[in-house]
Amino acid sequence: MEPVTVGVEEEYLLLDADTLPVPLAEQVRAAAGLGPTVEEHELQSELLQVQVEVATPVCSELDEVGGHLLRLRLALGAAAEAQGCRLAACGAPPRRSAVTAPVTEKPRYRAMREQAPQLVAEQLVCGMHVHTAVPSPEVGVAVLNRLRGWLPVLTAMAANSPFWDGQDTGFASWRTVVFGRWPVSGPPPAFRDLADHRERVATLLRSGVISDTGQLYWQARLSERFPTVEVRCTDVQLRADEAVMFAGIVRALVTTAIREDELGTPVPDVPPELAQAANWQAARHGLNGHLIAPTGERRSAGDLVARMMEHITPALDAAGDTREVASLVHRLLREGTPADRQRQAMAEGGLAAVVDFVTAETAAP
């Protein structure tokens, strides 16, 4: 059986010499697009002009994912430097400017600013989205139901946004908190089937609270553009190889869920209040302390990571990803999350050292 295909989207911040977000997205994207190594469709606009986004092609192997991400990061990094700023793969900026970042001039983004001006002003957060192919929307809904319990583990592992307004928030992933303020966000609900999913989405659209399905900011959702499940709970990662690790884990989780659906394995019952509590706990502590298991038990973060890896090992083996993913997970557990490493840089040299560290890691091979 051929490995399920996967694609990754990453969002980055542009920071100036004073460590503040700078609205140069159009210029940086244009400069990067002039090079021979970047296709125009791989560079995308984001809500705010201090952000840029990339999208890899569809990939069958993790080596492909890593190669594309490193290529795109280096091209954007060089373009940013040419414009007098730096590319930063962090979930939130260590500092914010007193001047509100301008919104990208698209009708959809202008409408969002009208709807929730303060939320848009504070949407200075960057995530990583992993698209994994599913054979049908029906199977996609079944996969979503089986992923719900593992999303907090991914959120904790990927935490990369501890600072806001120059201060330590006390959260490992402040981005998760910021994103959770939108009306349809956070852990996805459980659905009976595809018809239930479609009806509930239609009800949300009729309500007028969201204007399109792009505003379904659940941490995992069916993609409207591609035949994929999109897992979007993770902060953008400092290093490209860390992003590769999550691509491998998410693909294995999806593959495992598809297999369980085929076998008729019972779907874990994760009540919405438990899913929300587990998500908050993961954002607050990262891997430093306890997380909430899908069953509601309070377990050490390391134990839940180990349980997840055991759960997906057959899928990793089948894809040939076990050695690479396991090695990267062991490094993460040894060195700490990106949030832990940002805090270490802050302790050693303050905010300037944090930005130097983040930007160096962003371009690391």
Side-chain angles (χ1 to χ4, degrees):
M1 179 179 173
E2 291 295 319
V4 172
T5 56
V6 64
V8 172
E9 297 168 330
E10 287 192 316
E11 300 161 348
Y12 314 116
L13 287 164
L14 299 171
L15 303 180
D16 66 14
D18 295 322
T19 73
L20 292 170
V22 58
L24 292 172
E26 292 183 13
Q27 295 92 320
V28 169
R29 284 200 316 275
L34 292 175
T37 64
V38 177
E39 299 289 338
E40 184 178 352
H41 65 270
E42 295 177 318
L43 304 177
Q44 302 174 2
S45 61
E46 252 302 323
L47 173 63
L48 299 176
Q49 293 183 29
V50 298
Q51 300 164 298
V52 290
E53 182 177 8
V54 300
T56 72
V58 177
C59 301
S60 297
E61 305 292 339
L62 293 187
D63 285 350
E64 293 179 74
V65 176
H68 288 304
L69 288 178
L70 189 57
R71 169 178 59 84
L72 292 166
R73 284 175 176 227
L74 291 175
L76 277 173
E81 186 175 346
Q83 298 296 322
C85 59
R86 291 187 281 179
L87 190 73
C90 50
R95 293 175 61 210
R96 288 195 300 152
S97 172
V99 179
T100 300
V103 170
T104 300
E105 285 302 314
K106 289 187 173 182
R108 181 173 183 270
Y109 294 151
R110 291 197 298 269
M112 290 173 64
R113 182 177 56 194
E114 287 294 317
Q115 179 195 30
Q118 191 62 30
L119 295 191
V120 168
E122 296 184 7
Q123 197 66 16
L124 294 159
V125 291
C126 295
M128 168 190 171
H129 310 153
V130 180
H131 287 264
T132 307
V134 289
S136 68
E138 290 85 357
V139 173
V141 170
V143 167
L144 291 177
N145 288 339
R146 295 175 185 277
L147 289 180
R148 295 173 67 242
W150 296 113
L151 296 177
V153 182
L154 298 180
T155 297
M157 294 172 68
N160 187 24
S161 48
F163 301 117
W164 190 255
D165 281 341
Q167 302 295 320
D168 192 320
T169 64
F171 282 75
S173 176
W174 187 243
R175 168 189 164 273
T176 298
V177 177
V178 170
F179 230 119
R181 300 181 300 184
W182 289 96
V184 185
S185 58
F191 300 100
R192 289 190 304 274
D193 50 29
L194 179 60
D196 180 47
H197 179 278
R198 286 175 171 166
E199 177 54 34
R200 289 161 73 176
V201 170
T203 300
L204 287 168
L205 290 168
R206 287 195 300 270
S207 76
V209 175
I210 62 172
S211 57
D212 56 55
T213 56
Q215 288 186 288
L216 296 171
Y217 293 139
W218 288 317
Q219 292 176 329
R221 67 185 186 184
L222 290 184
S223 174
E224 282 289 303
R225 296 181 296 159
F226 309 110
T228 64
V229 163
E230 179 187 5
V231 173
R232 44 190 292 119
C233 62
T234 53
D235 290 357
V236 69
Q237 292 302 282
L238 283 176
R239 297 175 61 101
D241 62 2
E242 292 169 322
V244 170
M245 175 187 71
F246 283 106
I249 290 172
V250 170
R251 175 163 70 174
L253 283 168
V254 171
T255 303
T256 301
I258 292 172
R259 180 61 175 158
E260 288 182 337
D261 183 56
E262 292 171 345
L263 295 173
T265 306
V267 178
D269 179 22
V270 183
E273 68 277 9
L274 182 60
Q276 184 60 45
N279 177 58
W280 190 94
Q281 183 81 349
R284 170 67 176 86
H285 296 289
L287 294 179
N288 296 314
H290 292 83
L291 297 175
I292 300 174
T295 54
E297 304 164 89
R298 182 180 171 91
R299 305 295 292 266
S300 73
D303 180 47
L304 275 187
V305 172
R307 286 176 58 182
M308 183 188 69
M309 292 300 291
E310 182 180 1
H311 174 69
I312 64 175
T313 290
L316 291 172
D317 288 344
D321 295 340
T322 303
R323 177 174 294 184
E324 181 173 7
V325 171
S327 174
L328 290 165
V329 169
H330 289 153
R331 189 184 73 184
L332 172 68
L333 294 173
R334 183 176 68 251
E335 297 181 356
T337 66
D340 295 328
R341 285 138 53 203
Q342 282 199 51
R343 284 173 167 145
Q344 182 178 353
M346 172 71 95
E348 293 172 354
L351 285 172
V354 172
V355 174
D356 288 343
F357 168 70
V358 168
T359 54
E361 290 287 274
T362 300

